[in-house]
Amino acid sequence: MLRCGGGDRAAFEELLKRYETRLIAFIRSIVRDRGDAEDLFQETFLRVHRAAPRYVPKARLSTFLHTIARNLALNFVQKKREQPVEQVVDTGVEEEAGRGADLEALRTALAAALARLPREQREAVTLRYVSELPYKRIAEVMDAPIGTVASWVHDGLQKLSPALRKFGALAEEER
Amino acid sequence: MTHPVNPAQLLLHDAGELDASEARAVSAHAAGCAECTARLRELRALGALVAKGSAAEPAALRRERVLAAAFGGARRRIAWGLALAAAAALLIAVGRAWWPAGRTVPPKKEDPWVARHGEAMTRLDRRIVEVAQAPREGAGIGAPPDVPVPADAARAAVARWEAIAGAQALFPAWVPEGMRLREARVSGDAVEVTFAGGGTSFTVFAGAGDGVERADGAVVAGTAAGLRFVLVGEGLATDDLKRIRASLERPARK
């Protein structure tokens, strides 16, 4: 990040590579739409780019980035609040996904199941398992007590369970 | 009968994020509890599936797009303009009641914005108020040292709250935890407020003048109720700053 502040394009690209998957997934957990998430991811990094010369490394970089992304995403959602987002993302493909327990089917089923979670649970689960943040950092990003965050993660996983259970073999591969 | 270890504790324990005494208690229980063992196994498997199902897709084009935008120009600010215009309208609606052009705000002991809107303020508003009212306290993210608010408290306070409201609406990502007032200046009908935190800073200019059309690094937020708003990021040239100040202090009438 400090090198980014000096205008180092390679360092900025490295930062992009390191965080893009996590941040896009996290932003998507809030806005739900992949295209919107990618736009907001771009906006996040443009703001990071502009802030880099003044960046003071007192907070963890991951916390800093996720906080910026979250604020942007929440603001975006607020502006679109009147839109029935459930209709956009709930594609009804879960049943089809269950026919073949492959990675693509898992992705589809996961996206549909995540979309039905309350926002806090969706955010917390994504920050924990996609961004791989410790609970303490998630609590900072979400501005919530750590116990509450852990409860959101637990409750979220429980609600995802029916949709994901059929992909258990993939979880075994992961270990 | 209540289970002695709740699921949240189990997850925190699994992540090694419980304090020592609590961790010992959970360990002692979980070691002999088939229910906890099975639940933890299931939660781990579900977490692994979430991670696996969120795997990235090829992103070279996306990355190029961000790099080009970051290093190749400032066209994206057009998008800002739309958001800023909407946010500015909100800001003006709040500000109009308190600071129409030419109005002199009578001094009050209690901050009028807080007094009037205290009940309706959001949690984030409250946090910003707390931070701004106690600028030397709190744990900002890389916040620089504060500069005292000018002694002309009543007028500066109105400007401050308006600018805070504006900044919050206009720069949501720049007003995270720890963002705090660094400097507020009132000059004629123009106000200049700088916020800092999160490793960055920005300044909101507002005034009755015409305002600049554009300056490199400046975003003209909008005009309403006789006020023109200009938001400036970092690194603007001194001459540009002077130009903005001068343009906002000028009477709106030609």
Side-chain angles (χ1 to χ4, degrees):
Chain A
M1 184 65 179
L2 295 174
R3 281 168 54 209
C4 292
D8 186 333
R9 183 185 167 109
F12 188 75
E13 187 168 6
E14 184 58 37
L15 203 64
L16 271 175
K17 282 183 192 168
R18 193 190 303 170
Y19 284 98
E20 66 183 333
T21 305
R22 296 183 250 179
L23 280 175
I24 287 176
F26 173 53
I27 295 169
R28 193 179 178 187
S29 77
I30 299 173
V31 303
R32 306 192 190 197
D33 178 80
R34 184 170 188 87
D36 290 338
E38 295 205 358
D39 288 346
L40 289 166
F41 167 77
Q42 173 171 332
E43 184 62 26
T44 299
F45 263 83
L46 290 172
R47 294 194 179 201
V48 167
H49 179 253
R50 194 168 45 236
R54 299 285 182 90
Y55 178 72
V56 181
K58 284 187 180 175
R60 296 241 175 189
L61 181 57
S62 59
T63 306
F64 179 69
L65 293 174
H66 282 87
T67 301
I68 290 177
R70 184 170 191 263
N71 285 330
L72 274 173
L74 289 177
N75 188 53
F76 177 85
V77 168
Q78 194 172 12
K79 287 176 184 168
K80 289 186 72 174
R81 186 168 284 165
E82 69 278 9
Q83 295 186 13
V85 287
E86 293 288 353
Q87 293 176 9
V88 176
V89 291
D90 191 2
T91 55
V93 292
E94 189 178 333
E95 291 72 18
E96 185 182 340
R99 290 179 198 153
D102 57 15
L103 188 54
E104 199 50 46
L106 169 62
R107 278 185 180 149
T108 309
L110 177 63
L114 275 171
R116 285 194 287 270
L117 292 186
R119 182 177 57 74
E120 288 86 357
Q121 293 175 13
R122 207 164 55 233
E123 273 189 67
V125 165
T126 306
L127 285 170
R128 178 64 190 144
Y129 295 105
V130 184
S131 294
E132 298 180 331
L133 294 188
Y135 287 97
K136 184 182 172 187
R137 305 270 169 256
I138 300 173
E140 288 172 5
V141 171
M142 296 186 72
D143 193 20
I146 190 170
T148 303
V149 166
S151 292
W152 283 334
V153 170
H154 172 264
D155 294 349
L157 288 177
Q158 286 295 299
K159 289 176 188 168
L160 292 176
S161 180
L164 301 187
R165 199 170 287 146
K166 59 177 79 81
F167 300 101
L170 287 174
E172 292 300 323
E173 284 173 22
E174 191 72 10
R175 291 179 196 175
Chain B
M1 183 176 162
T2 307
H3 200 80
V5 173
N6 69 47
Q9 282 179 304
L10 206 55
L11 284 171
L12 289 170
H13 180 257
D14 193 43
E17 293 189 59
L18 284 180
D19 62 43
S21 62
E22 209 174 355
R24 273 195 299 276
V26 173
S27 290
H29 166 80
C33 177
E35 186 184 336
C36 283
T37 305
R39 177 173 285 179
L40 186 56
R41 188 183 304 127
E42 184 196 4
L43 291 171
R44 283 175 176 166
L46 288 166
L49 285 169
V50 171
K52 191 160 191 129
S54 304
E57 294 164 9
L61 284 176
R62 176 179 58 226
R63 214 174 291 144
E64 277 306 310
R65 192 170 56 131
V66 178
L67 285 167
F71 289 90
R75 282 177 57 81
R76 63 184 195 79
R77 286 191 177 144
I78 291 169
W80 270 37
L82 295 174
L84 293 175
L90 176 66
L91 168 62
I92 299 303
V94 174
R96 188 170 199 161
W98 292 102
W99 192 37
R103 173 181 171 184
T104 301
V105 179
K108 291 181 182 177
K109 284 188 178 178
E110 189 177 19
D111 189 303
W113 198 92
V114 175
R116 179 162 174 168
H117 298 286
E119 287 305 309
M121 286 163 72
T122 63
R123 194 159 56 93
L124 180 59
D125 290 329
R126 289 182 188 282
R127 183 168 180 79
I128 291 173
V129 168
E130 287 165 10
V131 170
Q133 285 180 332
R136 295 185 184 284
E137 298 173 4
I141 302 171
D146 299 295
V147 174
V149 177
D152 184 4
R155 180 143 192 195
V158 173
R160 184 163 44 124
W161 296 122
E162 286 178 349
I164 286 172
Q168 187 184 341
L170 297 167
F171 290 90
W174 286 17
V175 194
E177 293 179 47
M179 183 61 84
R180 60 181 80 178
L181 180 69
R182 192 167 73 180
E183 187 174 7
R185 290 202 279 175
V186 180
S187 173
D189 283 329
V191 166
E192 177 179 341
V193 185
T194 300
F195 296 90
T200 187
S201 69
F202 65 95
T203 301
V204 180
F205 295 84
D210 294 335
V212 293
E213 279 306 313
R214 193 96 185 175
D216 188 23
V219 176
V220 179
T223 304
L227 296 180
R228 184 80 161 159
F229 288 79
V230 179
L231 292 101
V232 177
E234 299 160 334
L236 200 65
T238 307
D239 285 348
D240 282 334
L241 288 173
K242 285 180 181 170
R243 195 154 60 84
I244 292 169
R245 288 188 190 111
S247 72
L248 289 169
E249 287 173 10
R250 218 165 44 222
R253 280 187 230 94
K254 292 185 179 173

